[in-house]
Amino acid sequence: MCSLYRENLMHQLGDLERTCYCGEIAEDLIGQTVTVMGWVDRVRDLGNLVFFDLRDRSGIIQVVTDNSEMARLELAKTVRSEYVVAVVGQLLKRDEETINPELATGTVEVHVEELRILNTSLTPPFPINEDVSASEETRLRYRYLDLRRRPLQRNMLLRHNVALETRNHLSEHGFYEIETPFLTKSTPEGARDYLVPSRLHRGSFYALPQSPQLFKQLLMVSGFDRYFQIVRCFRDEDLRADRQPEFTQVDIEMSYPREETVFALIESLLKRLFALIDVEVETPFMRLPYDESMARYGTDRPDTRFGLELVDVSEAFSETPFEVFRKILAEGGCIKGIPAPVGQKYSRKDLDVLADFIRQYGAPALSWVRREEGELRSSMPKMVPAAEIERVAELAGLGEVQSFLMVAGTPKTVHDSLAALRLHLGQKHGLIDQTKHNFLWVHAFPLLEWDEDEERFTAIHHPFTSPRDADLELLDSDPGAVKAKAYDVVLNGLEIGGGSIRIHQQEIQKKVFNALRIDPEEAQQRFGFLLEALCYGAPPHGGIALGLDRIVMLLAKESSIREVIAFPKTARAVDLMCAAPSPVDDRQLRELHVQLRGL
RNA sequence: GGGGUCGUAGUUCAGUUUGGUUAGAACGCCGGCCUGUCACGCCGGAGGUCGCGAGUUCGAGUCUCGUCGGCCCCGCCA
């Protein structure tokens, strides 16, 4: 506990009532007595004249005390940064030459009549009033102080406004906000759950929701027709700059929607949210089928603010003598590349660095073809015929002084590595227009994806996603070819939301489970309640969930969602401020029937 | 689980490449002077487990190994 030195100088709030916020004081109050309260921002003690800036969430006002009353001056001399004070005094216009044009309230100042020190403060570990950087570790340990600073004050206000606009918009469109349980049942097929042991049911556990997926579908069965919730979700997976163990979704579900119904709703909502930062969003968003997105960008969440699209040059090597490529193609692989910006030269070392870069995405090597001074050069072995290299250059549309950077391998490796390389080059060469807001819908995702390890299909979105009507028959014959009524909304290469039209008929749900090799008994045990609900007149329904943290992050122009979450966790899921997680009493464990295994 | 990077005063950093006297700077903090400052100014002062632990060495902030922590990425995650 901090020692409250100088406590003999501390006062009580008493009957004082604040009359205005510091930053909102304007010239119309000149001549009036105002009462302001807040933190001492910076003291300028000139001896017989003391100035300090008083700060609250709205801004700053200058306060001044002279030596017309010595006790008051002496008291003013004792205040320090971050003391909490109340000031009663007359608001006066400053002399012309003492106006501070940097300050919104710079033409006026409060002349102290009464000063009350409501609390003292230790010297903060980092300055509250400056933008100087403190390490993130220190900022997180003293989060309540970091939150007092301007940037986070601004971000939390923005977040409030985003939530408010979202509620208003959805309410205006007929959506009800309905809460769903946090203590619930493990969701199938998704991320690792956070578990909560049950005291009353020895050996049983609740799971915190990864999303309210099943509940929102049940609410459609219940006839609410349109539901939304700004809701916390929990996933026990490793963290990233845009991933926290608990995060907030704008969860939406509606009855009788076409995909376009959902798209239009979300477009109007995002338009409204981006208006908060004076960005005019053009609607409708571009629609990009999944297959096309993968072919052109190698990812299902492309950043379309710049080019560098992938080019498939597999055909150039259809009869190549180069064994490595031949083998890759024979095994269903492909050879693709990115035409680098014209005029961009890559040294031997540059290429080594790029090869290292793509290696972390599983690509074993980076090949290249370069046209320079009319001649084609390439990193490929001599046995590769000139005609094949010629063909690559032709397919890539290679101009003078231009390189084509290629990866050969399985489609997954090629796409993963080239998508990363494309982003890397886009950033490195400054091709990304930071003022652009390129929204798009990626749709027509495959329903299923083959899992090599488990040797079965798994759901790409989740097991309740509806196949496209036209693809229903393929479910048995060619499950991998079935497309889903699933969609993601992407902004500048970041996935900010995703959803689907759900299965509302039990027969189809059974067929999908069958394709997923979830046997009926298992299905019954894990989410029998949903299957049962589908038997009681479930209407066609579907929806989406938006990542609120990511959207606010983008609106705030931050690069980590920690900057828009009041109390975030570190990359190892620790709360540095309150030191969670932490061991608990043996007594608590016993009540929960939990025994720790050897640590 | 793996890779990268960082860790030195309250804070932000320099010093580490090439081991060598008492580990520096700025801001902040404390004291003094100062009636128009607003990044106030001037004078003086205090403040260090160089993340932690081993090792190499006559000698380690600096080299080696291990470990802990922050951040970024892969795997994981919609």
Side-chain angles (χ1 to χ4, degrees):
Chain A
M1 204 62 196
C2 59
S3 64
L4 297 172
Y5 56 100
R6 291 199 171 102
E7 63 188 315
N8 54 325
L9 291 175
M10 286 219 279
H11 309 104
Q12 298 305 319
L13 180 60
D15 288 336
L16 282 190
E17 182 85 34
R18 177 167 61 183
T19 61
C20 45
Y21 281 107
C22 299
E24 291 169 3
I25 291 176
E27 298 198 14
D28 61 329
L29 290 176
I30 285 172
Q32 295 188 25
T33 295
V34 297
T35 304
V36 284
M37 301 180 188
W39 287 274
V40 174
D41 189 74
R42 185 172 264 125
V43 183
R44 293 174 293 277
D45 180 351
L46 276 63
N48 280 316
L49 189 65
V50 175
F51 298 91
F52 61 82
D53 295 326
L54 192 65
R55 169 180 18 91
D56 59 28
R57 72 178 197 192
S58 68
I60 275 173
I61 182 82
Q62 175 164 277
V63 171
V64 59
T65 314
D66 62 20
N67 61 354
S68 59
E69 197 177 302
M70 283 316 284
R72 193 172 61 202
L73 180 70
E74 289 307 316
L75 184 61
K77 280 174 169 295
T78 66
V79 303
R80 298 287 180 271
S81 288
E82 302 314 314
Y83 278 25
V84 182
V85 302
V87 172
V88 182
Q90 217 184 8
L91 187 77
L92 293 176
K93 189 162 174 61
R94 298 200 200 177
D95 291 340
E96 200 59 42
E97 62 274 18
T98 63
I99 284 174
N100 182 356
E102 305 288 304
L103 211 58
T105 58
T107 60
V108 294
E109 61 194 5
V110 177
H111 288 250
V112 176
E113 282 152 28
E114 183 179 1
L115 171 66
R116 292 192 194 177
I117 295 175
L118 303 177
N119 210 346
T120 58
S121 172
L122 296 175
T123 302
F126 46 79
I128 306 301
N129 51 17
E130 289 170 30
D131 285 341
V132 301
S133 55
S135 74
E136 185 147 10
E137 198 170 350
T138 309
R139 292 175 53 207
L140 287 171
R141 178 160 289 120
Y142 297 94
R143 187 64 170 181
Y144 45 89
L145 292 180
D146 199 22
L147 284 164
R148 197 186 284 170
R149 310 208 299 176
R150 286 280 289 193
L152 290 189
Q153 288 268 318
R154 182 193 70 120
N155 289 354
M156 297 320 296
L157 172 60
L158 177 63
R159 187 177 176 121
H160 162 72
N161 283 321
V162 167
L164 189 62
E165 290 292 318
T166 299
R167 285 201 165 91
N168 286 336
H169 190 79
L170 292 173
S171 180
E172 285 161 20
H173 283 75
F175 289 82
Y176 297 173
E177 183 164 18
I178 300 172
E179 290 158 282
T180 51
F182 275 8
L183 295 176
T184 178
K185 193 178 168 74
S186 188
T187 326
E189 305 270 307
R192 194 175 296 117
D193 288 314
Y194 276 99
L195 295 177
V196 179
S198 164
R199 175 179 57 86
L200 297 175
H201 301 273
R202 175 187 285 263
S204 286
F205 294 79
Y206 301 96
L208 302 180
Q210 295 174 26
S211 80
Q213 183 58 39
L214 299 182
F215 289 104
K216 68 175 176 178
Q217 291 192 238
L218 293 170
L219 288 170
M220 293 304 102
V221 177
S222 303
F224 289 102
D225 199 82
R226 295 187 156 205
Y227 141 95
F228 84 99
Q229 187 178 191
I230 295 179
V231 65
R232 198 68 56 81
C233 302
F234 306 87
R235 291 177 191 164
D236 187 4
E237 296 292 346
D238 287 352
L239 278 51
R240 287 290 187 280
D242 61 355
R243 267 166 35 192
Q244 283 272 306
E246 46 182 311
F247 60 99
T248 303
Q249 281 189 348
V250 180
D251 195 47
I252 296 171
E253 193 77 3
M254 59 207 292
S255 294
Y256 314 108
R258 299 158 56 236
E259 288 182 66
E260 288 293 337
T261 317
V262 178
F263 293 176
L265 173 76
I266 298 307
E267 284 167 2
S268 65
L269 173 59
L270 288 170
K271 200 182 186 72
R272 184 158 170 178
L273 295 183
F274 276 76
L276 288 169
I277 57 162
D278 297 318
V279 167
E280 196 173 327
V281 172
E282 278 182 35
T283 55
F285 302 164
M286 182 168 82
R287 270 73 161 148
L288 189 65
Y290 170 89
D291 287 345
E292 185 182 340
S293 182
M294 293 306 291
R296 290 170 59 188
Y297 304 101
T299 173
D300 59 4
R301 47 179 180 91
D303 188 338
T304 58
R305 288 175 297 176
F306 65 105
L308 302 186
E309 294 187 18
L310 314 198
V311 178
D312 190 337
V313 295
S314 304
E315 81 162 61
F317 301 102
S318 54
E319 287 168 23
T320 187
F322 185 28
E323 222 170 287
V324 177
F325 281 10
R326 205 170 54 204
K327 184 153 180 272
I328 282 168
L329 290 175
E331 287 170 356
C334 61
I335 302 159
K336 293 189 178 191
I338 296 172
V342 172
Q344 196 66 54
K345 294 186 179 180
Y346 296 98
S347 67
R348 178 75 206 218
K349 197 182 166 208
D350 291 336
L351 291 164
D352 284 347
V353 169
L354 293 179
D356 281 342
F357 176 79
I358 60 165
R359 206 158 287 138
Q360 60 180 319
Y361 300 90
L366 183 70
S367 309
W368 51 264
V369 172
R370 178 167 59 208
R371 193 194 296 282
E372 210 174 337
E373 293 166 10
E375 270 184 53
L376 280 179
R377 296 169 169 214
S378 127
S379 64
M380 286 176 284
K382 285 201 176 71
M383 73 177 79
V384 177
E388 290 183 359
I389 294 171
E390 199 71 52
R391 181 66 182 140
V392 167
E394 192 184 326
L395 288 167
L398 216 54
E400 177 62 23
V401 191
Q402 190 174 15
S403 302
F404 185 64
L405 306 171
M406 292 187 292
V407 173
T410 63
K412 180 172 162 43
T413 300
V414 168
H415 288 147
D416 287 354
S417 56
L418 287 180
L421 180 66
R422 176 177 173 269
L423 266 184
H424 179 76
L425 294 176
Q427 282 158 7
K428 182 179 147 96
H429 299 316
L431 305 179
I432 302 175
D433 180 350
Q434 300 292 339
T435 66
K436 277 191 183 172
H437 293 85
N438 283 17
F439 288 92
L440 61 99
W441 290 104
V442 177
H443 65 110
F445 278 82
L447 183 70
L448 309 167
E449 158 181 65
W450 184 252
D451 186 319
E452 289 290 345
D453 297 336
E454 296 192 36
E455 295 194 327
R456 67 174 184 111
F457 282 103
T458 56
I460 285 195
H461 190 59
H462 56 56
F464 318 111
T465 300
S466 174
R468 286 199 308 206
D469 301 345
D471 295 351
L472 278 175
E473 295 141 34
L474 292 172
L475 264 181
D476 299 321
S477 55
D478 188 4
V482 177
K483 292 288 194 286
K485 295 180 184 172
Y487 34 80
D488 282 353
V489 56
V490 174
L491 169 56
N492 295 347
L494 209 69
E495 182 201 328
I496 57 173
S500 63
I501 305 298
R502 329 294 180 192
I503 297 166
H504 67 282
Q505 293 164 333
Q506 208 203 15
E507 280 312 303
I508 296 176
Q509 187 66 71
K510 279 183 178 164
K511 284 181 79 167
V512 171
F513 283 155
N514 186 46
L516 290 168
R517 296 231 212 107
I518 298 175
D519 68 61
E521 207 170 305
E522 189 189 355
Q524 196 57 40
Q525 188 222 321
R526 285 164 77 186
F527 25 82
F529 61 104
L530 178 75
L531 299 181
E532 194 174 58
L534 293 183
C535 298
Y536 287 99
H541 59 283
I544 192 167
L546 300 177
L548 184 81
D549 312 281
R550 289 183 184 177
I551 290 171
V552 178
M553 173 184 89
L554 292 165
L555 289 169
K557 298 177 174 60
E558 297 284 3
S559 52
S560 162
I561 60 171
R562 291 187 301 276
E563 301 299 323
V564 298
I565 294 172
F567 299 102
K569 292 178 177 58
T570 69
R572 295 190 65 244
V574 169
D575 183 330
L576 288 179
M577 187 185 65
C578 65
S582 60
V584 295
D585 282 351
D586 189 51
R587 200 181 116 190
Q588 278 183 293
L589 291 179
R590 256 183 287 140
E591 277 183 339
L592 295 168
H593 323 291
V594 168
Q595 187 175 12
L596 298 179
R597 295 219 196 184
L599 293 172

